[in-house]
Amino acid sequence: QVQLEESGGGLVQAGGSLRLSCTGSGRTFSAYTLGWFRQAPGKERTFVAAITWDSSSTAYADSVKGRFAISRDNARNTVYLQMNSLKPDDTAIYYCAAGLYSNSTNAYNYWGQGTQVTVSS
């Protein structure tokens, strides 16, 4: 069993940066791929980024490539999402998740409650 809690969301102007954190509990945290997803109002939850248990592989949605970076610190049971050059279209609730290496929500068994990111124009 893994419990996840996101932090670091907030309001930022377009072009700004934010760093999201997600801290997990449970002895098996370091064994999972960790992912970030986001959900805008009235839209489906979509993939943002993922990182394997040993950080050997990462994946990004095309819309965030070159702007966002995912990383993890297994000693701290934490995964990060560094978001740069933010755009109003990045406005959403951001969720972290633990599961298998995939861009599908179906591959992730554990989810946090989400943190709101709002980018003003």
Side-chain angles (χ1 to χ4, degrees), residues 21-33:
S21 300
C22 174
T23 300
S25 63
R27 293 184 300 164
T28 59
F29 177 89
S30 61
Y32 287 97
T33 281

Side-chain angles (χ1 to χ4, degrees), residues 42-63:
K43 296 188 177 180
E44 293 184 349
R45 191 171 298 188
T46 60
F47 173 75
V48 176
I51 186 167
T52 52
W53 71 275
D54 60 354
S55 302
S56 62
S57 294
T58 58
Y60 296 92
D62 287 343
S63 59

Side-chain angles (χ1 to χ4, degrees), residues 3-115:
Q3 293 183 322
L4 303 169
E5 184 173 2
E6 303 94 340
S7 62
L11 173 64
V12 64
Q13 289 188 332
S17 298
L18 280 175
R19 188 176 82 155
L20 305 183
S21 300
C22 174
T23 300
S25 63
R27 293 184 300 164
T28 59
F29 177 89
S30 61
Y32 287 97
T33 281
L34 299 172
W36 286 96
F37 290 76
R38 65 187 182 186
Q39 188 166 17
K43 296 188 177 180
E44 293 184 349
R45 191 171 298 188
T46 60
F47 173 75
V48 176
I51 186 167
T52 52
W53 71 275
D54 60 354
S55 302
S56 62
S57 294
T58 58
Y60 296 92
D62 287 343
S63 59
V64 306
K65 279 181 183 175
R67 300 189 299 122
F68 290 12
I70 188 170
S71 61
R72 67 189 292 169
D73 183 343
N74 286 340
R76 298 178 183 271
N77 274 13
T78 301
V79 61
Y80 305 97
L81 185 68
Q82 178 67 43
M83 305 186 295
N84 300 325
S85 303
L86 283 162
K87 305 174 181 179
D89 284 350
D90 295 318
T91 295
I93 299 174
Y94 283 71
Y95 299 89
C96 71
L100 300 176
Y101 190 59
S102 171
N103 62 1
S104 170
T105 57
N106 294 331
Y108 294 82
N109 296 321
Y110 304 103
W111 292 84
Q113 293 299 307
T115 185

